[in-house]
Amino acid sequence: MTLLQAGRPALFVDRDGTLMHDVSYIKDPELVTLIPDAAAAVRRMNAAEWPVIVVTNQSGIARGMLTERDYAAVKGRLDAQLAEHGARIDAHYFCPHHPDFGGSCDCRKPGTALFDRAIAEHGIDASRSVFLGDRWRDVAPALHYAALGILIPGPHTPPEDVAMARAKAEVAESLADAVHRILPDS
């Protein structure tokens, strides 16, 4: 059986502001800087054999501010930095759309199309999975799957997102804190 075994829970995590510092519409891989506890948190999930799956909105592509090639270069740099610390992302999914630039789509978070695709492609048990991010839209899909959502507020997190997470999900101080809630005894 592969690492992404059927029926296992996964960690669905946002990229910008959760794994790496949010540099608006990042297209230069040299600007990728990991959040301080990101590699250790991902490595801990890897050791527990939880697939770590990035799902990210990349509206800069629809806006013409970056290309899919730019996105791929940044993704590669993120993966390389995590690998330097013994951590890995098992799969990446991104939405290149924005409703103001080309119309709406089902894959832009809080939509669930990318999550549904990841769940199907990797045999994930969505209800046992955890959804992490620095915005409510990252966490909201957890409600759809009757799963756990944890907001990790950062400098760009609106106060109303924190209030929504306190009411309908959980709020953690950091990525490390969130992972400790998921794997308290490991």
Side-chain angles (χ1 to χ4, degrees):
M1 189 164 276
T2 67
L3 178 65
L4 299 174
Q5 294 176 8
R8 285 196 291 171
L11 178 67
F12 290 102
V13 62
D14 179 52
R15 188 188 80 175
D16 304 321
T18 306
L19 291 174
M20 58 185 247
H21 289 283
D22 190 350
V23 178
S24 294
Y25 309 112
I26 186 170
K27 64 188 272 181
D28 181 354
E30 293 304 313
L31 297 178
V32 173
T33 306
L34 292 176
I35 300 276
D37 61 357
V42 170
R43 187 174 57 245
R44 190 168 174 206
M45 296 304 293
N46 296 153
E49 297 185 356
W50 277 55
V52 178
I53 301 174
V54 168
V55 179
T56 179
N57 288 343
Q58 294 297 315
S59 70
I61 296 169
R63 297 170 190 268
M65 302 174 83
L66 63 135
T67 66
E68 288 192 22
R69 176 180 267 171
D70 296 329
Y71 166 79
V74 169
K75 176 181 86 63
R77 179 74 175 142
L78 171 64
D79 286 344
Q81 286 189 9
L82 288 168
E84 288 172 16
H85 298 282
R88 74 177 180 288
I89 301 299
D90 294 291
H92 290 265
Y93 296 85
F94 73 100
C95 170
H97 310 114
H98 189 279
D100 295 341
F101 301 87
S104 63
C105 67
D106 294 333
C107 62
R108 183 172 173 77
K109 293 184 292 183
T112 60
L114 293 178
F115 296 101
D116 291 341
R117 187 171 136 207
I119 290 162
E121 289 178 357
H122 301 292
I124 301 300
D125 181 341
S127 68
R128 292 177 44 222
S129 296
V130 180
F131 297 73
L132 298 180
D134 67 326
R135 301 289 182 107
W136 175 247
R137 65 181 168 241
D138 305 324
V139 176
L143 301 178
H144 174 78
Y145 300 107
L148 176 60
I150 304 175
L151 183 78
I152 305 164
H156 303 290
T157 306
E160 58 270 19
D161 285 17
V162 176
M164 185 69 78
R166 288 193 195 289
K168 297 185 175 191
E170 293 187 16
V171 177
E173 292 180 21
S174 65
L175 187 54
D177 178 34
V179 168
H180 180 70
R181 293 176 190 207
I182 300 163
L183 304 171
D185 298 325
S186 65

